[in-house]
RNA sequence: GCUCGCAUAGCUCAGGCGGUAGAGCACUUCAUUGGUAAUGAAGAGGUCCCCGGUUCAACUCCGGGUGUGAGCACCA
């Protein structure tokens, strides 16, 4: 006589063991219809699961986050079934749930085409109409291997053989399709309401580039047609914001064949870049960093000493000149240590914070490049703090505070923190690792924010914190980092004289707030959809005349604004005012100042924001005040208007 | 680097189952001097990514290269 307790605290008693679905039916037919799975005592199960003892039960529907997972996972099976109906020779491999959808990898003699995808989607629809029951079953490993061997599913055999342990395996069957799977799954193939196959591409078997390539089909699935539509709209919105598109449209930068992965910055893009750089310079100055600059070409021997050559020589550009081999620097740390090494350092000099807007070049694999997000030539807002072990925590805390303030100014309020700790292959004693990991933990706890522990993902030379931000599309972008390094300073001969006159190696903290300017600008462009806040906008104001008569007045006004430090231009073209407003609005100019006879007469301008808001006429002084206030609030979102 | 796709005017894109190409916007000129998201007219603009091959003939077909897109792999 199981007593089933529901999430609202109500309990129901049943004469005999019941399935999750039967409980749902006893509550109401509407719920039964919507039932996808159940959560019994916190564990996700199929709706066919029998409850014979007392249990806490939550009925999972599409509204539940887990319900969506069940739908997507089941949809992967649905797709695999459709693929095998159309292409019986295609072998199934794996088909997990990913963010917003799922994929399934197939081994097939050729690549699937977009036409194939349409056909597969159609067959998926047919299978939904057939409303096949999804049945769970248990099989021994040996039976399962025999079955898949008979079916010619070599990959499934491999998967089973790689699952440790001897326990029986669960299978899900729908019609003629059966797949090894932990589940849970939807009760029947009629449960799908909204799905779409989105793309097809190659993917390596088991994620290993030395293995053969499979055909991966991506799809998305939702609880309702409306949700699917919203998702597709989100994709469209993301496409509109694509920084590569906006970079062209707003004349910010370009790429060309002769310099793959290296941006040509145009005046407007470079203006944003420089504004960001000036800002970072000021912030770092306030945090007592000393800015330096180090060579682009450094003899290869330094990279051998630092250990980079042995690990990354394939990804380094090198230059030969007069029988000497140089590398174009792929990173700044060895150079910063050279600066540290000049002159004898005392413990009194620590912490020493060196910063460089360091231009780096890396030969990134051709297929990995992506607009500004991954380039071969980039500038890091790089910094290295030389300090003692005792100083680590305070330095990390200062860095975190700086990072939060910077991200806020750029309009990013949500920061996601991760701590990566000691990997198996590492240098340094456990004692030192303990201490530095603890310092990072303390610094993270001091932020009062949640953080995630990623064991074993630290660098070989020390643990690190990674700071990601969330843009307005909800996408997570890793930008900032601070890493503890016990190894490199010693390798490159850095030391200082301690209080007791002994010679000690400093700890080096590698840190960056933005990461690379290129990537960060890409993120900013997409975050703001090109409509940069006034402080960043390459052109803050465009003055527009209505007829030729106001030309001189406009130019004088422009000159006065420029003298106040604003970025202004004047559009005196012989075009209608509506045309000019349209054009500059499309160029995302924050403020348009319109001048006609009335304004000339009253010594004012008529101000319009790019969102269309009419601020009315105002004097030069009032306009300056308005602009100054807008610039001063940076991109902080609490005051961000959506114009 | 791997799989598949793509490469035509400054931009966004049409086009032809082999006979050297077109639109819209932008640009130039002329007219127009207009009050808050497109004034009208005319003109100019292309080695159809590069190198080979097939062919009487290649922008089109084939091979190779480069760049680029999606994904995978990589990312100090």
């Amino acid at each position: 006589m199981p007593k089933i307790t529901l999430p609202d605290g109500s309990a129901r008693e049943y004469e005999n063991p019941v399935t999750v679905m039967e409980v749902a039916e006893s509550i109401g037919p509407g719920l039964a219809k919507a039932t996808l799975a159940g959560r019994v005592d916190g564990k996700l199960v199929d709706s066919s699961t029998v409850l014979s003892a007392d249990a806490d039960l939550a009925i999972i529907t599409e509204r539940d986050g887990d319900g969506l997972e069940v739908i997507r996972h089941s949809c992967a099976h649905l797709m695999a079934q459709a693929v095998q109906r159309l292409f019986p020779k295609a072998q199934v491999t794996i088909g997990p749930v990913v963010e917003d959808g799922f994929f399934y990898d197939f081994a097939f003699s050729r690549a699937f085409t977009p036409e194939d995808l349409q056909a597969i989607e159609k067959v998926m629809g047919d299978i939904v109409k057939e409303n096949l029951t999804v049945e769970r079953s248990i099989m021994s490993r040996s039976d399962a291997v025999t079955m898949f061997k008979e079916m010619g599913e070599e990959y499934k055999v491999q998967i089973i053989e790689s699952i440790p342990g001897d326990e029986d395996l669960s299978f899900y069957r729908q019609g003629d399709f059966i797949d090894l799977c932990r589940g849970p799954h939807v009760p029947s193939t009629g449960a799908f309401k909204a799905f779409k196959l989105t793309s097809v591409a190659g993917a390596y078997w088991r994620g290993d580039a030395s293995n053969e390539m499979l055909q991966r089909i991506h799809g998305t699935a939702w609880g309702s047609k409306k949700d699917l539509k919203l998702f597709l709209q989100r994709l469209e919105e993301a496409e509109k914001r694509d920084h590569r598109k906006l970079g062209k449209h707003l004349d910010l930068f370009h790429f060309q064949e002769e310099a793959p992965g290296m941006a040509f910055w145009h005046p407007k893009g470079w203006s944003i870049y420089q504004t960001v750089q000036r800002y970072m310079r000021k912030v770092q100055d306030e945090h007592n960093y000393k800015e330096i600059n180090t060579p682009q070409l450094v003899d290869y021997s330094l990279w051998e000493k630092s250990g980079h050559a042995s690990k990354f020589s394939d990804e380094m550009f090198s230059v030969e000149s007069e029988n000497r081999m140089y590398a174009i620097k792929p990173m700044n740390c060895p150079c910063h240590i050279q600066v540290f090494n000049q002159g004898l350092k005392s413990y009194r000099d620590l912490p020493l914070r060196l910063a460089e807007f360091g231009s780096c070049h890396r030969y990134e694999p051709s297929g990995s490049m992506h607009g500004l997000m991954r380039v071969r030539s980039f500038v890091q807002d790089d910094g290295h703090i030389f300090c003692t072990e005792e100083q680590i925590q305070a330095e990390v805390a200062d860095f975190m505070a700086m990072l939060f303030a910077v991200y806020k100014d750029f309009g990013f309020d949500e920061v996601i923190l991760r701590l990566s700790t000691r990997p198996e292959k590492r240098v340094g004693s456990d004692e030192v690792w303990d201490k530095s990991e603890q310092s990072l933990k303390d610094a993270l706890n001091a932020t009062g924010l949640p953080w995630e522990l990623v064991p074993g993902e630290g660098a070989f030379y020390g643990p690190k914190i990674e700071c990601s931000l969330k843009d307005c599309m909800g996408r997570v972008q890793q930008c900032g980092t601070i890493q503890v390094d016990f190894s490199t300073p010693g390798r490159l001969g850095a030391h200082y004289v301690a209080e007791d006159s002994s010679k000690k190696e400093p700890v080096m903290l590698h840190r960056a707030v933005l990461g690379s300017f290129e990537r960060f600008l890409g993120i900013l462009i997409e975050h703001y959809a090109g409509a940069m806040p006034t402080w960043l906008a390459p052109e803050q104001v465009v003055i527009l005349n209505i007829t030729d008569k106001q030309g001189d007045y406009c130019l004088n006004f422009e000159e006065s604004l420029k003298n106040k430090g604003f970025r202004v231009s004047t559009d005196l073209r012989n075009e209608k005012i509506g045309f000019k407003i349209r054009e500059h609005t499309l160029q995302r100019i924050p403020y348009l100042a319109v001048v006609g006879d009335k304004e000339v007469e009253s010594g004012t301008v008529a101000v319009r924001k790019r969102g269309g808001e009419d601020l009315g006429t105002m004097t030069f002084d009032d306009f300056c005040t308005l602009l100054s206030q807008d610039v001063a609030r940076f991109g902080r979102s609490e005051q961000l208007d959506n114009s």
Side-chain angles (χ1 to χ4, degrees), chain A residues 56-70:
Chain A
D56 287 335
L57 171 68
I59 306 283
I60 304 293
T61 67
E62 70 181 47
R63 292 173 182 219
D64 198 293
D66 287 331
L68 212 45
E69 284 232 348
V70 171

Side-chain angles (χ1 to χ4, degrees), chain A residues 461-535:
Chain A
Y461 48 69
K464 64 178 175 185
I465 294 174
E466 285 180 350
C467 311
S468 304
L469 50 84
K470 225 180 208 181
D471 74 7
C472 67
M473 298 285 291
R475 295 172 300 194
V476 175
Q477 314 270 8
Q478 205 240 298
C479 296
T481 181
I482 183 158
Q483 315 183 353
V484 184
D485 185 350
F486 312 112
S487 156
T488 318
R491 270 185 108 117
L492 294 177
H495 62 264
Y496 66 94
V497 179
E499 251 174 309
D500 60 2
S501 294
S502 66
K503 193 164 134 183
K504 283 195 169 155
E505 283 173 15
V507 176
M508 179 163 73
L509 305 178
H510 305 248
R511 40 106 291 159
V513 178
L514 308 179
S516 98
F517 281 89
E518 282 70 12
R519 200 174 111 80
F520 197 76
L521 258 74
I523 292 170
L524 281 178
I525 292 165
E526 300 198 354
H527 180 62
Y528 290 117
M532 309 311 275
T534 306
W535 77 288

Side-chain angles (χ1 to χ4, degrees), chain A residues 113-303:
Chain A
T113 64
E115 292 73 41
D116 292 335
L117 248 57
Q118 280 181 15
I120 295 164
E121 213 172 276
K122 193 168 168 295
V123 174
M124 287 168 75
D126 294 343
I127 300 172
V128 170
K129 283 202 198 96
E130 290 164 26
N131 197 16
L132 304 170
T133 305
V134 180
E135 289 169 295
R136 184 173 196 268
S137 61
I138 301 289
M139 221 184 283
S140 72
R141 294 168 71 94
S142 56
D143 288 352
V145 168
T146 309
M147 179 184 78
F148 279 128
K149 272 191 178 154
E150 274 170 17
M151 291 165 73
E153 297 283 4
E154 297 153 29
Y155 291 88
K156 285 290 174 191
V157 174
Q158 278 193 53
I159 291 170
I160 293 173
E161 283 168 349
S162 68
I163 298 175
D166 285 324
E167 75 273 25
D168 290 342
L169 302 168
S170 64
F171 288 81
Y172 284 82
R173 178 185 287 283
Q174 53 200 55
D176 53 0
F177 178 80
I178 186 160
D179 200 357
L180 167 72
C181 191
R182 193 172 295 140
H185 281 287
V186 297
S188 76
T189 60
F192 301 105
K193 296 203 184 89
F195 57 83
K196 188 174 168 60
L197 301 187
T198 47
S199 68
V200 58
Y204 298 109
W205 166 234
R206 299 212 145 145
D208 185 337
S210 59
N211 287 341
E212 65 273 30
M213 191 156 266
L214 307 171
Q215 296 299 318
R216 174 169 299 179
I217 303 180
H218 277 271
T220 185
W222 298 84
S224 66
K225 289 219 157 59
K226 195 179 138 216
D227 286 351
L228 174 63
K229 202 174 148 200
L230 284 173
F231 169 71
L232 295 174
Q233 277 170 357
R234 209 168 79 211
L235 283 190
E236 235 172 84
E237 175 63 24
E239 211 178 307
K240 266 191 243 159
R241 288 167 178 263
D242 190 316
H243 73 282
R244 294 166 296 188
K245 218 173 235 184
L246 287 170
K248 214 176 259 176
H249 178 235
L250 302 177
D251 195 17
L252 303 177
F253 59 85
H254 84 270
F255 288 93
Q256 66 185 50
E257 268 188 74
E258 289 80 355
M262 299 180 242
F264 290 75
W265 287 98
H266 298 192
K268 287 180 191 171
W270 192 241
S271 166
I272 302 174
Y273 196 114
Q274 286 298 301
T275 303
V276 173
Q277 199 174 81
R278 273 196 304 273
Y279 167 85
M280 281 312 296
R281 181 169 279 138
K282 183 166 162 284
V283 169
Q284 288 181 344
D285 195 48
E286 284 163 6
H287 284 259
N288 296 311
Y289 282 81
K290 302 286 176 210
E291 187 175 329
I292 60 173
N293 194 268
T294 61
Q296 296 299 305
L297 294 185
V298 180
D299 193 282
Y300 220 81
S301 59
L302 184 67
W303 306 105

Side-chain angles (χ1 to χ4, degrees), chain A residues 200-494:
Chain A
V200 58
Y204 298 109
W205 166 234
R206 299 212 145 145
D208 185 337
S210 59
N211 287 341
E212 65 273 30
M213 191 156 266
L214 307 171
Q215 296 299 318
R216 174 169 299 179
I217 303 180
H218 277 271
T220 185
W222 298 84
S224 66
K225 289 219 157 59
K226 195 179 138 216
D227 286 351
L228 174 63
K229 202 174 148 200
L230 284 173
F231 169 71
L232 295 174
Q233 277 170 357
R234 209 168 79 211
L235 283 190
E236 235 172 84
E237 175 63 24
E239 211 178 307
K240 266 191 243 159
R241 288 167 178 263
D242 190 316
H243 73 282
R244 294 166 296 188
K245 218 173 235 184
L246 287 170
K248 214 176 259 176
H249 178 235
L250 302 177
D251 195 17
L252 303 177
F253 59 85
H254 84 270
F255 288 93
Q256 66 185 50
E257 268 188 74
E258 289 80 355
M262 299 180 242
F264 290 75
W265 287 98
H266 298 192
K268 287 180 191 171
W270 192 241
S271 166
I272 302 174
Y273 196 114
Q274 286 298 301
T275 303
V276 173
Q277 199 174 81
R278 273 196 304 273
Y279 167 85
M280 281 312 296
R281 181 169 279 138
K282 183 166 162 284
V283 169
Q284 288 181 344
D285 195 48
E286 284 163 6
H287 284 259
N288 296 311
Y289 282 81
K290 302 286 176 210
E291 187 175 329
I292 60 173
N293 194 268
T294 61
Q296 296 299 305
L297 294 185
V298 180
D299 193 282
Y300 220 81
S301 59
L302 184 67
W303 306 105
E304 277 158 2
K305 254 190 247 169
S306 71
H308 292 103
S310 63
K311 213 173 164 194
F312 296 108
S313 62
D314 286 350
E315 284 89 59
M316 282 160 63
F317 288 101
S318 53
V319 178
E320 202 189 329
S321 172
E322 299 211 326
N323 298 324
R324 269 183 90 168
M325 276 294 280
Y326 298 86
I328 305 181
K329 74 173 167 182
M331 57 183 334
N332 306 298
C333 355
C335 293
H336 285 202
I337 295 177
Q338 306 313 306
V339 173
F340 180 89
N341 286 353
Q342 292 297 307
L344 191 59
K345 294 292 183 296
S346 148
Y347 71 96
R348 294 173 193 276
D349 296 318
L350 307 185
L352 180 65
R353 308 183 187 97
L354 298 180
E356 176 176 10
F357 298 122
S359 173
C360 297
H361 291 77
R362 296 179 186 172
Y363 189 82
E364 301 287 0
S366 57
S368 69
M369 285 178 314
H370 180 92
L372 294 172
M373 299 302 191
R374 182 99 177 255
V375 283
R376 287 188 175 153
S377 170
F378 56 95
V379 176
Q380 294 176 317
D381 63 317
D382 207 356
H384 294 91
I385 302 167
F386 297 88
C387 63
T388 65
E389 281 174 29
E390 291 69 35
Q391 290 167 334
I392 294 175
Q393 192 185 324
E395 290 304 311
V396 174
D398 178 71
F399 169 77
M400 297 301 291
M402 173 167 74
L403 179 133
F404 288 135
V406 168
Y407 286 7
K408 254 202 171 60
D409 283 345
F410 283 109
F412 302 110
D413 288 327
E414 199 171 338
V415 183
I416 295 149
L417 301 168
R418 285 157 41 115
L419 171 64
S420 301
T421 55
R422 68 193 79 185
E424 275 182 33
K425 274 186 140 179
R426 60 178 184 267
V427 297
S429 70
D430 283 354
E431 199 194 344
V432 177
W433 275 90
D434 286 343
K435 206 185 277 182
S436 51
E437 284 176 5
Q438 193 56 47
S439 305
L440 294 187
K441 276 181 197 164
D442 290 343
L444 282 170
N445 288 332
T447 65
L449 292 170
W451 51 273
E452 190 193 340
L453 181 70
V454 198
E457 290 293 308
F460 70 93
Y461 48 69
K464 64 178 175 185
I465 294 174
E466 285 180 350
C467 311
S468 304
L469 50 84
K470 225 180 208 181
D471 74 7
C472 67
M473 298 285 291
R475 295 172 300 194
V476 175
Q477 314 270 8
Q478 205 240 298
C479 296
T481 181
I482 183 158
Q483 315 183 353
V484 184
D485 185 350
F486 312 112
S487 156
T488 318
R491 270 185 108 117
L492 294 177

